[in-house]
Amino acid sequence: MNDPELKPEATRSVAQPAVSAIQAVARSRLLTVPVDAHLVNVAALLSSAQISVVVVCSETGEVLGIITETMLVKQLGMGRADFFSTRADAVMTRDIRSCGLQDLLPDVLTMMHKQGLIHVLLVDADNRPLGVVNMRDGLRALLQAGNHEEELLRSYVMGIGYQ
């Protein structure tokens, strides 16, 4: 790279989308229950959805915890909970990973990968759930952003210019 016109800082990098780029799909994956919901209701909700996590919310809508399918299976398998009388707050985990709309998607996906997570909760400034970020949805969005950048570069090189 001895050519002064090809300085590394002058090269274009792939745009890094924010989590807001997948807000619609994240919103479609959001399942919530009140803190006093019974596990049978949580299980019914999960069985009719294409996601494996339910968000437990307070009466005012703030996130209190989550319940995953795995947590329900453990409760059932170990005989720890009566699904018809045990409330969501008795088995939910309060150890929640979350992100905001402004967070960069690559950063969120990196955190998810490092911590072995499939889902991360998308919350607003008041800790109210906006959606659930799924690893697969995030990777798809990054791939689409990369493909768009590749098309722009190809058009530029072919003399068409940026479109």
Side-chain angles (χ1 to χ4, degrees):
M1 296 194 71
N2 294 335
D3 187 346
E5 300 210 10
L6 293 176
K7 294 181 181 176
E9 57 271 1
T11 60
R12 240 176 145 226
S13 64
V14 175
Q16 294 192 356
V19 173
S20 59
I22 61 169
Q23 182 178 5
V25 71
R27 185 180 306 119
S28 74
R29 299 196 184 285
L30 179 62
L31 300 175
T32 62
V33 294
V35 69
D36 60 351
H38 291 113
L39 293 187
V40 67
N41 301 111
V42 174
L45 190 58
L46 284 171
S47 70
S48 65
Q50 293 186 3
I51 193 149
S52 60
V53 64
V54 170
V55 181
V56 181
C57 295
S58 69
E59 290 178 9
T60 56
E62 291 98 7
V63 175
L64 296 176
I66 61 168
I67 298 175
T68 65
E69 285 179 346
T70 303
M71 293 168 68
L72 286 178
V73 169
K74 284 182 181 177
Q75 293 294 319
L76 182 62
M78 296 179 162
R80 290 186 182 164
D82 175 354
F83 272 48
F84 295 97
S85 63
T86 304
R87 292 173 24 144
D89 60 345
V91 298
M92 70 182 187
T93 181
R94 288 171 167 46
D95 185 20
I96 303 167
R97 301 295 180 268
S98 63
C99 64
L101 289 170
Q102 73 288 351
D103 292 334
L104 293 179
L105 195 51
D107 295 343
V108 172
L109 295 176
T110 297
M111 179 268 298
M112 291 172 73
H113 174 73
K114 286 180 180 177
Q115 296 184 15
L117 302 172
I118 299 170
H119 305 98
V120 169
L121 195 56
L122 175 60
V123 296
D124 66 12
D126 295 323
N127 197 35
R128 287 189 172 77
L130 298 174
V132 176
V133 175
N134 177 285
M135 178 69 85
R136 183 176 46 234
D137 297 332
L139 290 173
R140 248 189 229 125
L142 285 183
L143 180 61
Q144 288 172 348
N147 286 343
H148 179 69
E149 289 290 324
E150 183 180 329
E151 288 174 26
L152 288 175
L153 181 58
R154 184 178 302 122
S155 294
Y156 181 75
V157 169
M158 298 296 287
I160 298 170
Y162 291 113
Q163 297 178 356

